[in-house]
């Protein structure tokens, strides 16, 4: 299919692109490593001007719009796009992407849908980086940056990146899997210009390879090294040498196998750090009774640029006072792996006046949240995770904590809150007190749980959120919800792009309200809700505008899904069974559908059928 | 009601089951299942405590957990789970205890004891041996037996060197060594 046809399709393509501001200096396209642009067009001057201008275009939506103006603009925009963002790796093929965009320096790819994180999708579903790795290595030998989310990356892929991309600088893997320490070893060894290696919430298998010592000797350009999710021992002496050789290192997040004593040794070598993940934050060698412990307070005090602190993976709270010197400057604090009490939190949080991002465990209870509300007036993002992630576990935080936060943190933009009980009143209060909310994710862990005070469903609470929070783009609902809640969302959630629904609603009407009412909806993930084929049909007008729709354990039938597939040829409609089932029977267990320029993918596992 | 006469046996008639005579259960499910829930039914692994099995006999059976609910990534669940097994109260802190020369091992719950003297006394009673007194400088020198433990890092340490709280959270198993072998440990 030619590029012209591509452009004429009315639904926007799933390719979203961003320009790299730093590329301004190479506006004429004659930077090092670039192939010279051979022009056959009479208006060369005009095109050069256009090229210069388009370099300033940064937003991917602006770029998409620019590419639709005319052929000339399309061509120049494609040439000047240096950052390629693909929200669904199956929406477009590597071949098509590399054909259109020839000067890409940075690639961002997303693979599996989010519900795969919660074991709702059988393993080996797909989202393999491999075809992309090979295509990039051929088409963009100057590629500098790759950012992947929820993709399967193999050791070979890492080797490909390192061996074939000579100027490679930045690798960020978020929620990825499929590789191990041996892949990392090859990667860090061959990437001589590496500046960033960020492994975030990824599964890294322990092949017992000492990858840290595979970094090349001598001075390194490393600016960021994040490996807090890597669950294996590391060679500390090699790490210490690496940190000592990395004068530009700003971000360092250690895994839980690094003790506090080792942390100390690293910190004194890198006082320039801005982002620090502390590792275990407990001693490994148990210090003898008389041994001198290093001056941890001093080490923290020396880090005058520290703004982001995380880690505390196996915290011994006695050591917490060590961080007092940095609290006043912190803008981000992640205690979400630290099982600490309100009393242990208070002396810290009372010093964190500049805090904007705070992640914490509910072990701090409502009382701890009240302390946060009292001090953190600049708070933009709050995430409260459960120590006991069970439906009927203890509930140390509740509507009391949420109310307090809403009253104290008026600038709140994003909240993720796990709890066992919540009232409509508290949610309504938050909707009024925090008008800047963009992300509201409330997870009442007991399914179908009503307002414990009134006995009512949680409809009014969520209704107030969509009514009062005019900037809301992301919403996750929970608790006992009727179709009314969805009516509210459809009526007022006009900017909502991502919606997560679980165990909610009464009938098809619920889903209809949302599909008919929310024009900006891009990502809809639903599980265990009574929505069926009729509801699915009501979204036909909108599915090409969405990145994906996920529905699991709902009331869909193969016929209903087939209907959608027939009506919309550019939609890939996947029906996924849990791995041990053989045939499709009357019910569709998982429906995952997404727009795509490529049609059915060729790497289907046997438990997936494309209709 | 199906009657299997293939082998000349009427198995159904001689079947042992609970229920009033004459009552019968429908063979399998005949009602349509539009809301099939296999994937979200009781999970077999990963979500309930995978740590110490021993204490679950005394705890009430956990309510069946639904797959993927609440929506917490397994990495986070595993980290918190590991921590829960270390925090005292509620969950037990069972560790194996071996004694040099004894044929089989025992298991004790460290949470039951509040201090080293209590623990040592219990061990002495359990195995009918003398451990003696602990001193910082000499360890258990002079005693017939010396209690040691394996910590989180896999190292063998002398019981008593660290504060009790730290011991509880780092002790993986206990080994009571013969005094003669333990001599090396107590010395500075």
């Amino acid at each position: 299919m030619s590029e012209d046809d591509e452009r004429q399709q009315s639904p926007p393509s799933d390719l979203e692109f961003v320009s790299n501001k730093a590329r301004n200096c190479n506006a004429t396209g004659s930077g090092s490593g670039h192939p010279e642009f051979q022009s056959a067009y009479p208006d060369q001057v005009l095109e050069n001007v256009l090229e210069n201008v388009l370099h300033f275009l940064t937003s991917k939506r602006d770029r998409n719009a620019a590419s639709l103006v005319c052929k000339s603009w399309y061509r120049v925009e494609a040439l000047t796009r240096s950052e390629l963002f693909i929200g669904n790796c199956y929406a477009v093929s590597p071949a098509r992407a590399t054909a259109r965009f020839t000067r890409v320096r940075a690639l961002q790819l997303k693979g599996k849908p989010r519900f795969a994180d919660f074991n709702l999708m059988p393993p080996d579903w797909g989202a393999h980086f491999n075809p992309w790795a090979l295509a990039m290595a051929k088409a963009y030998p100057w590629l500098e940056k790759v950012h992947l989310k929820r993709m399967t990356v193999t050791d070979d892929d890492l080797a490909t990146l390192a061996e074939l991309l000579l100027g490679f600088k930045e690798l960020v893997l978020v929620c990825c899997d499929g590789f191990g320490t041996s892949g990392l070893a090859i990667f860090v060894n061959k990437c001589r210009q590496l500046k960033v290696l960020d492994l975030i919430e990824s599964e890294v298998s322990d092949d017992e390879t000492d990858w840290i010592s595979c970094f090349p000797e001598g001075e390194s350009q490393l600016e960021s090294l994040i490996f807090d999710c890597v669950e294996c021992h590391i060679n500390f002496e090699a790490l210490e040498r690496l940190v000592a050789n990395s004068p530009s290192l700003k971000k360092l997040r250690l895994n839980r196998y690094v003790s506090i004593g080792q942390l100390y040794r690293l910190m004194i070598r890198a006082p320039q750090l801005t982002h620090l993940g502390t590792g275990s934050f407990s001693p490994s060698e148990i210090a003898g009774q008389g041994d001198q412990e290093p001056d941890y307070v001093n080490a923290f005090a020396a880090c005058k640029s520290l703004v982001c602190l995380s880690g505390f993976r196996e915290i011994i709270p006695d050591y917490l006072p060590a961080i007092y010197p940095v609290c006043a400057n912190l803008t981000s604090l992640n205690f979400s792996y630290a099982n600490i009490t309100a009393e242990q939190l208070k002396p810290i949080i009372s010093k964190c006046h500049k805090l904007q991002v705070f992640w914490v465990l509910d072990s701090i209870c409502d009382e701890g949240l009240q302390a946060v509300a009292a001090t953190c007036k600049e708070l933009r993002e709050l995430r409260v995770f459960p120590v006991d992630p069970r439906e009927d576990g203890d509930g140390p935080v509740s509507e009391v904590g949420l109310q307090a936060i809403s009253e104290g943190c008026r600038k709140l933009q994003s909240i993720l809150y796990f709890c066992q009980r919540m009232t409509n009143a508290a949610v309504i209060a938050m909707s009024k007190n925090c008008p800047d909310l963009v992300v509201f994710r409330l997870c009442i862990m007991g399914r179908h749980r009503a307002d414990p005070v009134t006995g009512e469903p949680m409809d009014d609470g969520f209704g107030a959120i969509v009514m009062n929070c005019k900037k809301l783009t992301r919403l996750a609902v929970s608790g006992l919800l009727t179709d009314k809640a969805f009516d509210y969302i459809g009526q007022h959630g006009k900017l909502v792009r991502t919606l997560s629904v679980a165990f909610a609603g009464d009938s098809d009407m619920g889903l209809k309200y949302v599909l008919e009412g929310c024009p900006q909806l891009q990502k809809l993930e639903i599980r265990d809700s009574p929505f069926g084929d009729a509801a699915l049909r009501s979204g036909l007008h909108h599915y090409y505008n969405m990145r994906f729709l996920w529905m699991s354990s709902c009331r869909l039938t193969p016929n209903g899904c087939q209907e959608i597939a027939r009506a919309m040829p550019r939609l890939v409609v996947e029906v996924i069974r849990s791995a041990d089932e053989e045939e499709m029977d009357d019910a569709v267990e998982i429906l995952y559908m997404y727009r795509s320029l490529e049609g059915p993918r060729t790497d289907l596992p046997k438990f997936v059928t494309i209709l | 009601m199906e009657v299997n006469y293939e082998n000349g046996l009427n198995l159904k008639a001689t079947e042992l089951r609970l229920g009033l005579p004459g009552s019968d259960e429908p063979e399998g499910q005949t009602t349509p299942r539009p809301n099939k829930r296999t994937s979200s039914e009781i999970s077999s692994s990963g979500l309930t405590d995978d740590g110490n099995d021993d204490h679950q006999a005394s705890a009430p059976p956990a309510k069946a957990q639904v797959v993927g609910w609440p929506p917490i990534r397994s990495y986070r669940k595993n980290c918190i789970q590991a921590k829960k097994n270390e925090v005292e109260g509620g969950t037990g802190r069972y560790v194996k205890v071996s004694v040099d020369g004894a044929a089989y091992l025992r298991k004790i719950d460290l949470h039951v004891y509040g201090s080293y003297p209590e623990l040592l006394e219990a061990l002495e009673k359990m195995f009918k041996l003398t451990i003696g007194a602990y001193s910082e400088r000499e360890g258990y020198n002079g005693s017939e037996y010396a209690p040691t433990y394996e910590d989180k890092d896999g190292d063998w340490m002398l019981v008593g060197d660290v504060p009790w709280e730290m011991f509880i959270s780092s002790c993986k198993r206990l080994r009571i060594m013969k005094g003669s072998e333990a001599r090396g440990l107590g010395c500075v």
Side-chain angles (χ1 to χ4, degrees), chain A residues 117-118 150 201 228 231 286 289 313 336-337 386-387 389 392 445 447 527-528 553-554 581 585 589, chain B residues 34-37 39-40 63 65-73 75-76 80 83-84 136 153 161-162:
Chain A
D117 289 352
F118 314 125
R150 289 198 193 93
E201 297 197 52
D228 47 5
E231 288 290 302
I286 291 152
Q289 305 290 41
R313 294 297 174 113
S336 68
Y337 292 97
V387 166
D392 49 358
M445 290 189 276
R447 292 170 290 156
R527 64 166 294 183
D528 294 278
S553 303
C554 295
E581 268 175 67
D585 59 355
E589 211 170 307
Chain B
N35 194 5
K36 195 164 130 190
R37 287 174 163 265
S39 73
S40 56
K63 183 171 162 184
Q65 300 293 318
V66 165
V67 172
W69 187 262
I72 308 264
R73 296 205 179 105
Y75 176 76
R76 186 173 281 283
I80 308 296
K83 246 178 282 280
K84 267 188 70 179
E136 204 180 310
D153 299 320
D161 279 346
V162 305

Side-chain angles (χ1 to χ4, degrees), chain A residues 203-487:
Chain A
E203 220 177 284
V204 182
S205 63
D206 183 358
D207 311 323
E208 296 186 9
T209 314
D210 179 2
W211 61 284
I212 293 276
S213 42
C214 292
F215 276 93
E217 295 289 332
E219 182 155 311
S220 128
Q221 283 113 0
L222 213 54
E223 292 173 9
S224 174
L225 180 62
I226 295 179
F227 64 96
D228 47 5
C229 63
V230 178
E231 288 290 302
C232 32
H233 289 275
I234 47 129
N235 178 336
F236 180 72
E237 280 68 36
L239 179 63
E240 201 174 2
R241 269 198 305 278
L242 178 63
V243 170
N245 286 338
S246 306
S248 307
L249 194 66
K250 292 279 191 289
K251 302 185 186 183
L252 179 64
R253 291 191 353 207
L254 308 164
N255 70 10
R256 64 183 179 92
Y257 292 89
V258 178
S259 70
I260 194 170
Q262 291 170 331
L263 170 68
Y264 175 83
R265 283 161 62 180
L266 295 174
M267 286 179 75
I268 56 175
R269 289 187 180 285
Q272 77 282 4
L273 288 176
T274 57
H275 294 58
L276 176 65
T278 66
S280 66
F281 213 68
S282 61
S284 73
E285 293 118 45
I286 291 152
Q289 305 290 41
D291 280 1
Q292 264 297 73
E293 287 232 72
D295 190 345
Y296 297 117
V297 179
N298 223 18
F300 275 94
C303 291
K304 306 217 182 291
S305 312
L306 206 59
V307 290
C308 175
L309 196 54
S310 61
F312 310 102
R313 294 297 174 113
E314 293 177 354
I315 190 174
I316 300 270
D318 307 66
Y319 290 100
L320 267 179
I323 75 172
Y324 288 169
V326 297
C327 290
N329 283 335
L330 282 184
T331 54
S332 171
L333 178 57
N334 183 348
F335 270 153
S336 68
Y337 292 97
N339 193 334
I340 56 172
T341 63
E343 286 316 304
Q344 290 160 342
L345 176 70
K346 280 178 187 173
I348 309 273
I349 208 72
S350 60
K351 299 176 169 55
C352 295
H353 297 276
K354 288 195 192 162
L355 208 59
Q356 295 185 21
V357 176
F358 186 49
W359 292 23
V360 72
L361 283 176
D362 63 3
S363 56
I364 63 166
C365 303
D366 287 327
E367 199 188 327
L369 291 173
Q370 286 163 334
V372 174
T375 315
C376 304
K377 301 301 175 190
E378 298 298 316
L379 202 66
R380 303 284 195 270
E381 177 179 325
L382 174 68
R383 295 197 193 193
V384 181
F385 294 94
V387 166
D388 184 7
R390 289 180 303 156
E391 261 194 272
D392 49 358
D394 295 331
V397 299
S398 68
E399 68 273 11
V400 173
L402 193 74
Q403 179 91 27
I405 292 290
S406 79
E407 287 165 7
C409 308
R410 299 299 177 109
K411 299 188 187 178
L412 202 64
Q413 292 173 2
S414 170
I415 183 164
L416 170 62
Y417 196 91
F418 285 86
C419 57
Q420 291 289 354
R421 56 173 279 152
M422 183 52 58
T423 60
N424 280 305
V427 178
I428 293 170
M430 177 157 270
S431 76
K432 295 186 174 150
N433 292 335
C434 305
D436 292 339
L437 276 176
V438 174
V439 174
F440 185 79
R441 299 160 69 189
L442 176 63
C443 182
I444 301 168
M445 290 189 276
R447 292 170 290 156
H448 310 297
R449 207 164 274 178
D451 180 325
V453 170
T454 64
E456 306 261 291
M458 296 302 295
D459 299 340
D460 288 342
F462 287 103
I465 291 287
V466 286
M467 269 186 251
N468 300 331
C469 302
K470 313 257 193 271
K471 303 182 192 174
L472 198 77
T473 58
R474 182 170 178 181
L475 180 65
V477 301
S478 60
L480 179 65
L481 292 170
T482 70
D483 287 342
K484 190 106 197 67
F486 299 99
D487 190 8

